[in-house]
Amino acid sequence: MTEIDAKIDALVPSWLTLPDIAERLDVEVTRVRQFVKEGLLIAVRRGENRVLMVPADFIGEGRITKGLTGTLTLLRDDGFSDEEMLEWLFTADDSLPGTPAQALRENRGTEVKRRAQALAV
């Protein structure tokens, strides 16, 4: 879990607290903490109270956004830090179009993963 810098914080359109995610996924907060620990989600400390938060785009209809976990694994394997992953996922790419996070939410994960794999080359 990382402190987030202002530049990356500004890239992410909206955030959810861990209890909000637990409610949306219909699981206990401890399970959401486990998702973060296992690398299925990225959580950062934000705001004055340093509340642990996750980008809202990472949560879909009652589940973690399809393709996110695999993409995070690829980026981690490429040596990306949590902040670098957030920056990559939320930076617009005209060739997608949109951001990789938007593409994942729109079920275009294959193209996102292809780009993440290309980063390792």
Side-chain angles (χ1 to χ4, degrees):
M1 289 163 263
T2 320
E3 277 289 336
I4 189 158
D5 82 10
K7 175 188 162 199
I8 295 170
D9 193 11
L11 289 174
V12 180
S14 61
W15 297 87
L16 295 170
T17 63
L18 300 192
D20 290 339
I21 293 168
E23 186 176 312
R24 288 185 183 204
L25 299 180
D26 196 28
V27 297
E28 296 292 323
V29 174
T30 53
R31 186 75 178 118
V32 177
R33 288 186 184 283
Q34 191 65 33
F35 293 157
V36 172
K37 187 176 180 182
E38 292 171 359
L40 305 178
L41 292 171
I42 297 173
V44 295
R45 297 213 174 266
R46 294 182 67 243
E48 192 175 304
N49 296 331
R50 300 191 57 226
V51 175
L52 207 50
M53 300 185 98
V54 172
D57 282 350
F58 289 0
I59 306 302
E61 297 294 318
R63 64 187 176 97
I64 295 172
T65 299
K66 183 179 176 185
L68 176 67
T69 301
T71 302
L72 294 179
T73 299
L74 284 170
L75 293 172
R76 243 183 226 104
D77 289 351
D78 291 344
F80 278 55
S81 68
D82 285 357
E83 278 200 335
E84 290 168 331
M85 286 189 277
L86 287 172
E87 184 173 12
W88 186 80
L89 284 163
F90 288 96
T91 298
D93 180 340
D94 292 338
S95 66
L96 264 175
T99 68
Q102 288 169 323
L104 287 172
R105 286 190 61 87
E106 295 167 1
N107 204 21
R108 296 185 285 138
T110 302
E111 187 57 34
V112 173
K113 286 181 192 168
R114 189 175 299 124
R115 289 161 198 262
Q117 285 173 324
L119 296 171
V121 177

